[in-house]
Amino acid sequence: MFKGRTVALMVVVAMLLSSILTLTLTGQWTFAGSNAVGSGIFADAFGGNKSGIKKIETAMDLVEKNYVEDVDRNKLVDGAIDGLLNALGDPFTSYMAPETAQQFSEQIEGSFTGIGAEVSMEDGKVVVVSPIKGSPAEQAGIKPKDILLSVNGESFEGLGLNEAVAKIRGPKGTKAKVKVKRPGTANELEFSIVRDDIALETVYSSMKQGNIGVIEVTEFSMNTADRFAQELASLEKQGMKALVIDVRNNPGGVLQVVEKMAEQFVPKGKAIVQIEDKNKNRKKMNSAQGKGKNYPVIIITNKGSASASEILAGALKESAGAKSLGETTYGKGTVQSSFSKEMGDGSLVKITIAKWLTPDGDWIHKKGIEPDIPVSQPDYFSVAPINKEKTYKFDMLGEDIKSAQTMLSGIGYDPGRKDGYFDKKTEAALEKFQAAKGLKADGVLDAKTAEALESSLIDQIRDPKNDNQMNQAIQEAQKEITSMASNE
């Protein structure tokens, strides 16, 4: 929920749009050549004749001549393209106006602005794929699969993805109050997130006890493979005996980047990924130079691990003998390519051009990759925040009370239950917590108490000893080291 990369509550932000989680291809997988828009994409879309294009032009002319107010023709063109792509029913195919396209390109390069959550459009809803690690969205409690409903009172209903993104963007330092519907939670949630801009660092490494190296990869941007190679070489020079790769809440990135990273572990000639085009032709992307590693490798995933993260997990499991641990991944098995030169005005069309499959030929779309070793985090890691506008006390019932009970239990004040009923034991636990924090110990859950609970929970989640998945991965790595030693 509130897990951050550092203890400092930095106000950092990432662009909220369906972007780097998609895999961008160039070269042999570009779509339909480099024809101009009028004779390429649109002509193909309307059966190779001009009747479809004429129909659109007629509709635009009718609107311009007859609509009750003045019309911005550029806005109509953007809407027409957006509607065409939305008609495909593919959340990962989209149109970006020039400003949004520029931000997309910046994010691929490793810098961005926004609130810190990757999203897609699914069934007309803006759905979070994953919050960016360390971002305000993650720190506030945004989770994968959350449905974003509105920002600052402006509903996303009926809007396209880019329109919703535009409403969330705003001046640096301003607040975005985002309303969310979380699957399995009855009430809507509201998060207050401060906008800012940062440069993205995507690779973090550390050496744990027993010479077990850990590399966390937050996204697959253009410089990620080189940074990963640098950190891996540094750990190996320090005498690393096993490696844990952490791609939790990593929404994906550039295909060539993840291939380059996987090649360091996949022996030469073995498959990293398979790509299947619209004609069902498959091509195996094999490791060209890899020699494999002589130490155990474990990869940690969760439901926010998408796309390129899943390619890495599949390649390591099926072609490099690594183990996976954690939770089933997001399940995005398609490949996108972006087209900007063809548009001619700085805008960009991102189109799904292929499927990707694991080395063994499994298409994981909407299924995800199941871990070899399932490990969940404590329930308080995903608890919903408490509504600060309401007050709760003895003999009341509600989802916010359930959240408070989960928080109290997580930080060591056992309420005896987590079902949302405010009984005497819950009241007593709350009084103890309030007294410890210097608050009025009346057993009433008000705004100040709720804020103190959430702040204490942040500290609890950020304590490495409570990260079940990482701790289990390190234990598993130690077992592998011991097993290898005994077989020598």
Side-chain angles (χ1 to χ4, degrees):
M1 175 181 165
F2 300 97
K3 185 169 181 273
R5 190 172 294 106
T6 62
V7 174
L9 289 174
M10 298 170 56
V11 181
V12 295
V13 190
M15 178 171 64
L16 180 66
L17 55 87
S18 166
S19 58
I20 204 163
L21 68 99
T22 58
L23 300 171
T24 304
L25 293 181
T26 57
Q28 72 250 41
W29 291 104
T30 50
F31 181 85
S34 56
N35 295 328
V37 173
S39 60
I41 296 174
F42 280 145
D44 290 343
F46 296 106
N49 59 59
K50 297 181 179 180
S51 61
I53 298 174
K54 180 64 176 176
K55 187 175 180 180
I56 292 176
E57 291 175 344
T58 299
M60 291 180 65
D61 288 341
L62 288 170
V63 169
E64 285 187 311
K65 292 176 181 177
N66 298 289
Y67 188 65
V68 67
E69 296 179 2
D70 291 338
V71 174
D72 182 342
R73 188 174 181 86
N74 290 331
K75 188 174 181 180
L76 291 181
V77 172
D78 287 349
I81 300 171
D82 208 26
L84 184 152
L85 298 179
N86 285 337
L88 296 172
D90 175 13
F92 304 109
T93 292
S94 63
Y95 168 73
M96 301 179 197
E99 182 181 353
T100 305
Q102 176 63 29
Q103 291 177 323
F104 172 77
S105 299
E106 289 173 354
Q107 184 169 355
I108 291 293
E109 294 297 328
S111 63
F112 42 82
T113 58
I115 70 163
E118 305 290 348
V119 301
S120 67
M121 183 67 77
E122 300 179 20
D123 298 324
K125 296 180 175 62
V126 181
V127 180
V128 174
V129 174
S130 177
I132 302 296
K133 278 184 174 288
S135 70
E138 185 193 47
Q139 292 170 355
I142 297 292
K143 306 296 293 183
K145 306 293 186 182
D146 279 352
I147 299 170
L148 305 185
L149 303 175
S150 66
V151 61
N152 295 335
E154 296 189 66
S155 174
F156 295 152
E157 186 175 356
L159 300 183
L161 184 61
N162 294 335
E163 292 175 299
V165 170
K167 288 186 178 296
I168 288 183
R169 289 201 305 267
K172 178 178 177 178
T174 59
K175 287 186 179 181
K177 291 187 177 181
V178 182
K179 280 197 173 181
V180 167
K181 179 69 176 73
R182 178 166 295 167
T185 302
N187 298 329
E188 294 178 1
L189 310 174
E190 185 172 88
F191 301 86
S192 183
I193 307 172
V194 180
R195 303 178 177 104
D196 205 339
D197 52 70
I198 60 167
L200 177 65
E201 173 59 81
T202 60
V203 180
Y204 300 82
S205 72
S206 60
M207 186 73 84
K208 305 300 183 183
Q209 187 174 0
N211 281 25
I212 297 171
V214 174
I215 300 182
E216 178 187 20
V217 183
T218 61
E219 289 189 10
F220 295 89
S221 297
M222 294 303 293
N223 66 344
T224 300
D226 292 337
R227 286 285 299 115
F228 184 88
Q230 292 168 7
E231 297 301 322
L232 181 62
S234 175
L235 290 171
E236 290 177 339
K237 286 180 181 179
Q238 296 175 52
M240 181 176 67
K241 295 180 179 179
L243 174 65
V244 175
I245 301 174
D246 183 359
V247 293
R248 290 175 294 177
N249 289 339
N250 180 327
V254 182
L255 179 60
Q256 291 90 336
V257 170
V258 71
E259 285 181 345
K260 187 176 179 181
M261 290 171 60
E263 192 169 33
Q264 298 177 76
F265 302 92
V266 176
K268 182 178 179 180
K270 284 196 169 187
I272 293 172
V273 65
Q274 297 188 54
I275 305 296
E276 181 178 291
D277 66 17
K278 66 187 301 180
N279 297 316
K280 308 299 180 184
N281 298 316
R282 288 190 187 181
K283 180 173 181 178
K284 283 189 177 182
M285 316 298 281
N286 294 330
S287 176
Q289 305 178 55
K291 298 180 180 178
K293 298 294 182 181
N294 61 358
Y295 48 74
V297 177
I298 295 171
I299 185 166
I300 313 178
T301 63
N302 66 5
K303 60 185 177 182
S305 304
S307 202
S309 295
E310 296 171 291
I311 286 182
L312 183 62
L316 294 182
K317 284 183 63 174
E318 297 179 5
S319 294
K323 286 185 177 179
S324 64
L325 180 148
E327 300 165 352
T328 299
T329 60
Y330 181 85
K332 180 184 178 292
T334 57
V335 180
Q336 284 70 40
S337 187
S338 58
F339 300 84
S340 56
K341 291 181 180 179
E342 293 85 347
M343 302 305 288
D345 64 349
S347 61
L348 179 149
V349 173
K350 183 160 59 67
I351 300 174
T352 296
I353 61 168
K355 299 177 181 178
W356 72 261
L357 302 92
T358 68
D360 291 345
D362 184 23
W363 193 40
I364 59 87
H365 198 59
K366 297 185 178 180
K367 298 187 302 181
I369 297 176
E370 294 184 5
D372 298 316
I373 307 169
V375 179
S376 299
Q377 296 288 50
D379 58 358
Y380 59 81
F381 268 63
S382 57
V383 65
I386 300 167
N387 184 347
K388 316 298 187 303
E389 296 179 359
K390 295 182 179 180
T391 299
Y392 304 92
K393 55 187 177 181
F394 173 68
D395 204 31
M396 296 180 72
L397 183 69
E399 289 292 321
D400 287 320
I401 298 169
K402 183 177 179 179
S403 291
Q405 290 168 333
T406 302
M407 293 179 192
L408 284 166
S409 177
I411 60 178
Y413 297 87
D414 183 17
R417 63 197 307 157
K418 301 177 186 177
D419 58 1
Y421 175 63
F422 204 131
D423 65 355
K424 283 296 182 181
K425 193 166 184 180
T426 299
E427 185 180 64
L430 199 59
E431 287 176 356
K432 288 181 181 179
F433 170 77
Q434 290 169 326
K437 295 298 177 180
L439 300 170
K440 183 180 179 181
D442 56 4
V444 174
L445 181 59
D446 56 12
K448 286 186 177 180
T449 302
E451 289 171 1
L453 270 174
E454 292 178 357
S455 178
S456 296
L457 192 67
I458 291 173
D459 294 337
Q460 188 78 355
I461 291 172
R462 287 179 175 163
D463 189 335
K465 72 181 182 183
N466 298 319
D467 188 344
N468 284 353
Q469 292 167 343
M470 179 60 72
N471 294 335
Q472 186 69 33
I474 292 172
Q475 290 177 25
E476 197 63 33
Q478 189 59 61
K479 289 180 185 177
E480 293 280 328
I481 294 171
T482 302
S483 177
M484 290 180 65
S486 64
N487 293 329
E488 292 179 353

